[in-house]
Amino acid sequence: MASLTKIKNKKHEHTTLEQKLNTLRAGVLGSNDGILTVVGVLFSVAVATSNRFTIFIAGLADLLACAFSMASGEFASVSTQKDTEKAAVMKEQRLLKQNYAQEVQTVAAYYHEQGVTHETAIEIARELMQKKPLETLTDVKYNLKLGQYMNPWDAAVASLISAMLGGVFPLAAMTLSPANYMWQATIFAVCLSVSLTGYLSAKLGNGLVKIAILRNLLIGILTMIIHYSVGILL
């Protein structure tokens, strides 16, 4: 059964990578949204008024709104995914009762496609379906570990924290730095923070570091230009 062990190891690596990418997506999106939405409000408001307290309140309000918006979005998204996974499990439970033989053939076909001989694939399918039929089917058909659903609360909290941490950079730079240098400090803070999120996303996702940093940096600069221009116009 060395082939079966090798296939299971590959599936485990693939599942681990998917979980890693989901966590990375939530973290990067949350932090980037926190950075860019807060600096957008700060730039627009700071053009209209030099009152640091007013700027701070506007930035803080946007920071909280962004963080809770990201958290609620992640909660809804992951909850939907969890419901879909549960529905898939219920479907397989019905199919096991209605057409067990066909389900065995489905498992055998899967392992045959992985490079196992037809005879061995049938043997593996029969053995697995005798021991853990539902777990085997959900794993083979949906790459889903039975009972291991994503937690929407974990995703919501992670998104909330990452968005708040991201938004703190421009907010602190704009409201705590000397008044004469608040623009320069904010621009530097935004460029540094979006470059950092680009670097981390590339490293964790095994992507191209320079491209990720430049992409995030360009988006950050464009965001500041657009919101500054809106502030001037209005």
Side-chain angles (χ1 to χ4, degrees):
M1 292 292 181
S3 299
L4 177 59
T5 302
K6 187 181 295 184
I7 292 171
K8 285 186 174 180
N9 287 337
K10 287 182 179 179
K11 285 176 70 63
H12 175 72
E13 290 175 2
H14 179 68
T15 302
T16 302
L17 178 60
E18 284 187 334
Q19 292 173 346
K20 179 180 177 181
L21 291 176
N22 281 334
T23 302
L24 173 63
R25 175 190 59 80
V28 171
L29 282 177
S31 57
N32 270 354
D33 270 22
I35 295 165
L36 299 179
T37 57
V38 170
V39 76
V41 169
L42 290 174
F43 267 47
S44 298
V45 174
V47 170
T49 178
S50 59
N51 188 303
R52 301 291 286 277
F53 184 71
T54 300
I55 297 171
F56 172 76
I57 292 300
L60 180 62
D62 183 72
L63 172 62
L64 295 174
C66 172
F68 281 99
S69 173
M70 289 294 296
S72 62
E74 279 297 315
F75 182 84
S77 176
V78 175
S79 294
T80 301
Q81 181 178 341
K82 184 178 179 180
D83 292 341
T84 302
E85 292 172 349
K86 286 185 174 182
V89 172
M90 293 176 63
K91 175 184 176 182
E92 292 308 316
Q93 287 176 324
R94 291 194 300 270
L95 290 176
L96 273 172
K97 295 178 181 179
Q98 295 170 0
N99 199 341
Y100 179 84
Q102 181 60 46
E103 294 295 86
V104 173
Q105 290 298 320
T106 299
V107 175
Y110 168 80
Y111 283 104
H112 183 55
E113 290 174 359
Q114 303 304 310
V116 179
T117 63
H118 180 70
E119 292 76 13
T120 304
I122 291 291
E123 181 183 347
I124 292 173
R126 286 173 177 171
E127 182 177 344
L128 290 175
M129 290 292 284
Q130 286 176 357
K131 294 180 179 179
K132 299 178 179 179
L134 185 58
E135 182 177 333
T136 298
L137 286 169
T138 55
D139 185 30
V140 166
K141 287 188 174 183
Y142 307 102
N143 194 27
L144 173 65
K145 299 299 180 184
L146 192 62
Q148 297 183 12
Y149 307 114
M150 291 188 67
N151 191 326
W153 288 106
D154 288 345
V157 171
S159 186
L160 176 73
I161 293 174
S162 62
M164 292 187 71
L165 290 176
V168 163
F169 282 93
L171 181 61
M174 178 68 80
T175 58
L176 299 180
S177 61
N180 293 337
Y181 299 100
M182 68 177 190
W183 290 101
Q184 296 92 321
T186 306
I187 292 171
F188 175 77
V190 170
C191 290
L192 179 63
S193 55
V194 294
S195 297
L196 179 61
T197 57
Y199 173 83
L200 291 175
S201 66
K203 280 295 184 180
L204 294 175
N206 297 320
L208 299 176
V209 174
K210 290 184 178 179
I211 291 178
I213 291 176
L214 288 175
R215 179 173 57 239
N216 275 21
L217 191 57
L218 178 61
I219 292 172
I221 292 172
L222 284 175
T223 299
M224 289 185 284
I225 291 174
I226 291 171
H227 284 276
Y228 182 85
S229 301
V230 170
I232 291 292
L233 290 174
L234 298 179

